[in-house]
Amino acid sequence: LAACDSGKSNVLKIGTNAEFPPFEYIGDDGNPDGFDIALMKAIGEQMGVEIQIENMEFKSLIGAIESGNIQGIIAAMTVDDERKKSVNFSDGYYEAHQMVLVRKDSDITKAEDLNGKKIAVQEGTTGDFVASGDPDWEYILGTSLQNTEVSRMKKGLDAVIELKNGRVDAVIIDSNPAQVFAKENADDIKIVEGIQSETETYAIAVTKEDEDLLNKINAALKTLKENGKYDEILKQYIEQ
Ligand code: GLN
């Protein structure tokens, strides 16, 4: 472990953005909680290291690995070729997709209806890439969105507030948070059921400096999938 060099051999600093329920959010005790946090702690236990969670903005996470402030990221982060230039990704631990949220009276029913519309997203996320018409992410909705006006917010919830207040026409965000936000704001917003998305894979990002750490995380993840602990955490945090 790179952490050994600093003398703190038993601490692994892992970054997250605790604004993305049910994967990470601030729990009742004021500390980060959620599926990812529980999974990472179980991985740490398996590895015999203590996990120290560092909460920061989503778009700062990769830079924090590059500058050595953290050794890994668990943040519902999708495996992506561009990000692979800066970090290594573990084996996948969850399959998600994108969902489109609109106000209840919206006439948006298919992906093409989003062309020319105002869309709020969380900055630097795959939802941002899709909304911005990034050709690498065209496969997600099966179309490259044209002439959209994208509002990039720090949190997913801020994007939802933009939508509720009528400042944008839609929000594009990962499926599980979309369901949480839709449920919590059911009087005002809904998921566009007619828009189907391809899947993307969440993985733990690890510093490129430490191949050994990547291998250990993958080994621990494999054990947790085999011994039922992964399923237990899934059941605890994610409604099936
Ligand atoms: N899965 C999306 C991404 O990796 C969103 C992650 C997030 O907002 N925490 O970009």
Side-chain angles (χ1 to χ4, degrees), residues 56-197:
M56 61 188 82
E57 279 176 23
F58 185 79
K59 70 166 177 110
S60 306
L61 287 164
I62 300 253
I65 282 203
E66 288 179 311
S67 64
N69 288 340
I70 54 175
Q71 283 95 49
I73 300 167
I74 193 156
M77 185 175 272
T78 301
V79 176
D80 163 42
D81 286 341
E82 198 56 36
R83 292 172 179 163
K84 275 187 191 166
K85 292 177 187 166
S86 309
V87 298
N88 288 333
F89 278 107
S90 73
D91 294 335
Y93 68 83
Y94 195 81
E95 297 283 313
H97 52 274
Q98 294 297 308
M99 281 184 170
V100 178
L101 295 170
V102 294
R103 277 184 306 282
K104 281 190 118 171
D105 60 359
S106 172
D107 50 14
I108 293 172
T109 57
K110 55 187 191 302
E112 288 73 17
D113 294 339
L114 294 167
N115 290 330
K117 293 288 196 309
K118 289 183 184 162
I119 305 175
V121 297
Q122 187 180 7
E123 186 171 17
T125 61
T126 47
D128 184 356
F129 308 151
V130 171
S132 307
D134 182 332
D136 288 348
W137 292 89
E138 192 184 309
Y139 77 95
I140 290 280
L141 295 185
T143 178
S144 191
L145 297 182
Q146 312 281 329
N147 303 318
T148 52
E149 193 181 305
V150 182
S151 299
R152 298 183 176 84
M153 316 304 289
K154 294 208 191 314
K155 311 174 191 178
L157 183 60
D158 292 344
V160 170
I161 291 168
E162 291 294 285
L163 177 64
K164 278 176 74 171
N165 291 345
R167 283 191 288 267
V168 297
D169 306 300
V171 167
I172 304 180
I173 193 164
D174 295 23
S175 38
N176 296 81
Q179 285 162 333
V180 172
F181 293 137
K183 199 170 167 187
E184 285 172 355
N185 300 280
D187 289 343
D188 304 304
I189 64 170
K190 63 178 183 184
I191 290 163
V192 182
E193 301 292 349
I195 300 184
Q196 299 299 326
S197 138

